[in-house]
Amino acid sequence: MTQRRAPRSIRNRLMRAVLGVVALGWLGTVAMTVLFLDREMSEGFDEELELVAETTLVALETGADHIVPRLVAVTAKENDRLLRIIRPGVPEPQVPWVSPAEDGYFDSMGWRVLRRTGDHEVVEVAHNRNWRHREMGEAAVSLLVLVVPVVGLLIWGLRRALARALRPLDALAGAIAGRSPDDLSPVPETGLPRELHPLAHGLNSYLARIDDLRAIERRFVANAAHELRTPIAAIRARLELGGGAGAEAALPMLDDLTRRVERLLQLSRSEAGLGLGRGPADLVQVVRLLVEEARRPGAVIRFDDGDLERLSLPVDADALAILIRNLLENALEHGTGAVRVVIRPPADGAGPALMIENPTAQTGFVEEAFRKGPGSRGLGLGLSIVAALAAAMGARVEKTIRAGQARVVVTF
């Protein structure tokens, strides 16, 4: 199976692009510098040949008359820079080049030679070209060594500059990534660079449109559910008055439809945040009342209040009751055994919690809104209502199934 490559970051792309351009410019500069350095050093070497030749001729012409032809090295222990003194009619010292008949510069057999003729002698000064190339290479290496710290400083400065320039983009990405899925508040546009304003403005427009659509949806659901309550109640009253086997069979279906309408209203109000006060609410009392209300033939509910007489929470009592009622109904409808309800007091820095568990034949909780679980007759609204109310209360809901035991823990 092929693995997906991680997306490349803008910072790395900019770093590689800038360093590539700088490297190309630097290499071009180095190449031009080496050519310039080679030309300048060649001129300097030729000037040295000229100086040695003229100095030797002056010294010979002002010295003794007896001139001994010889071949000497310009510097001790080196044979790369040679000086030859020639006197007409006397055997010439052997050299590794072939001399022409006229004066001037010439190249022969890997040597750069300058020939000068005086009144009684001829002087030839020569440089080995390999020696010249070595000297030029050493100068170029020295230049490169001096440039390396500058390149390191450039990379360091470039990283800092990119980090500073991209800091607003990182802050915007972090702010968006840290949002909850239900947070549709606009992204702050103040303080953003000019290039990021279209992105933030477009995102805010998109969030505003989603918020408007959700508001329209909530209003439609609330209005539809509200309008259905009256005709459903009227139909139920008419069936109760009419009696008969058909009416008796239809009443449970109407009751089920009534519960669904009520859940639609609850979902609409919870998502809109309507009627959510700050409390306080007594968790023990609310759970005790709801457990007694939920008891019905064939339903076994075991309530453990944790030996608490009361447990006050800073939440709306009606919203708390709706949340717990949906969890109880979900457990009774989808479970296969006794429902266990436990209140846990605050401990070890954790807030109070409510746990509801029971055996279940399902393999997992359905967390997608409006999706029914296997074998469910409901619309899948219960857990959606629980999630919306818990988010409004600042509570945390954890749902797990292990070894056929379903558990929901609400931590306040």
Side-chain angles (χ1 to χ4, degrees):
M1 183 176 63
T2 58
Q3 295 182 351
R4 297 182 60 183
R5 296 178 57 184
R8 296 184 298 175
S9 66
I10 296 178
R11 180 180 289 102
N12 291 338
R13 291 182 181 181
L14 287 176
M15 177 71 72
R16 283 193 291 267
V18 173
L19 286 181
V21 173
V22 172
L24 289 177
W26 179 66
L27 290 176
T29 303
V30 168
M32 295 179 63
T33 302
V34 170
L35 293 176
F36 176 78
L37 185 63
D38 180 60
R39 189 186 69 178
E40 293 298 317
M41 290 187 68
S42 296
E43 292 179 357
F45 287 141
D46 288 347
E47 290 176 359
E48 179 189 344
L49 294 177
E50 187 77 29
L51 179 61
V52 172
E54 295 297 333
T55 303
T56 303
L57 286 175
V58 171
L60 293 176
E61 291 174 356
T62 59
D65 293 337
H66 184 65
I67 303 301
V68 179
R70 66 188 65 187
L71 176 67
V72 297
V74 176
T75 57
K77 298 181 181 181
E78 287 189 12
N79 293 321
D80 294 322
R81 303 159 71 189
L82 301 179
L83 169 64
R84 181 166 73 156
I85 302 174
I86 305 172
R87 189 175 182 83
V90 179
E92 300 178 0
Q94 297 295 320
V95 292
W97 63 81
V98 178
S99 301
E102 66 277 0
D103 288 354
Y105 291 99
F106 63 92
D107 297 314
S108 175
M109 302 175 66
W111 289 81
R112 176 70 169 174
V113 185
L114 173 62
R115 180 184 177 94
R116 285 287 185 266
T117 301
D119 295 338
H120 305 289
E121 60 282 327
V122 175
V123 174
E124 291 181 349
V125 187
H127 284 172
N128 192 320
R129 282 201 168 273
N130 290 332
W131 171 79
R132 283 193 174 193
H133 293 159
R134 287 198 304 271
E135 292 295 318
M136 196 275 293
E138 291 177 1
V141 169
S142 300
L143 176 63
L144 294 178
V145 170
L146 293 176
V147 170
V148 167
V150 178
V151 174
L153 182 63
L154 173 65
I155 295 176
W156 176 80
L158 184 59
R159 285 185 178 276
R160 287 184 61 87
L162 285 177
R164 185 173 181 179
L166 295 177
R167 194 172 299 159
L169 182 60
D170 294 336
L172 178 62
I176 295 175
R179 284 169 166 251
S180 64
D182 296 327
D183 187 0
L184 297 178
S185 60
V187 176
E189 298 184 28
T190 57
L192 291 178
R194 181 176 58 189
E195 293 79 3
L196 294 181
H197 273 283
L199 175 62
H201 183 72
L203 180 61
N204 287 335
S205 300
Y206 183 67
L207 292 176
R209 183 180 178 187
I210 294 177
D211 194 30
D212 292 340
L213 291 175
R214 291 186 63 179
I216 294 172
E217 179 185 348
R218 285 194 298 266
R219 288 195 298 269
F220 171 76
V221 172
N223 293 334
H226 182 75
E227 294 295 330
L228 285 173
R229 296 175 69 181
T230 301
I232 291 175
I235 294 174
R236 178 180 177 82
R238 188 175 295 274
L239 288 175
E240 287 179 344
L241 291 174
E248 293 294 332
L251 286 176
M253 291 186 291
L254 280 177
D255 292 338
D256 187 50
L257 181 59
T258 302
R259 285 196 300 271
R260 296 182 183 185
V261 170
E262 291 294 334
R263 285 194 173 184
L264 284 175
L265 285 172
Q266 292 173 5
L267 178 63
S268 176
R269 294 175 63 85
S270 63
E271 288 185 345
L274 300 178
L276 293 179
R278 295 182 177 271
D282 185 358
L283 178 63
V284 177
Q285 185 67 21
V286 171
V287 174
R288 185 175 286 116
L289 290 174
L290 291 176
V291 167
E292 293 301 325
E293 177 187 301
R295 295 187 187 278
R296 54 178 181 247
V300 180
I301 303 178
R302 298 188 178 95
F303 176 46
D304 182 1
D305 58 11
D307 296 330
L308 298 172
E309 292 296 330
R310 60 180 290 108
L311 181 57
S312 181
L313 297 177
V315 298
D316 183 79
D318 291 335
L320 180 63
I322 294 173
L323 184 149
I324 298 174
R325 180 183 290 112
N326 277 282
L327 289 177
L328 281 173
E329 290 179 356
N330 190 75
L332 291 171
E333 180 178 355
H334 300 289
T336 58
V339 178
R340 183 166 171 256
V341 182
V342 181
I343 295 179
R344 296 177 181 174
D348 299 330
L354 173 67
M355 183 189 73
I356 300 177
E357 66 176 2
N358 66 316
T360 179
Q362 297 185 27
T363 58
F365 282 99
V366 178
E367 306 218 13
E368 297 181 24
F370 309 114
R371 180 181 171 188
K372 298 191 296 183
S376 173
R377 296 179 303 160
L379 294 176
L381 298 176
L383 292 180
S384 298
I385 296 171
V386 169
L389 290 174
M393 297 177 185
R396 185 177 72 254
V397 180
E398 299 176 359
K399 302 179 283 291
T400 57
I401 288 184
R402 294 179 181 175
Q405 193 78 6
R407 174 180 297 179
V408 179
V409 178
V410 183
T411 305
F412 299 94

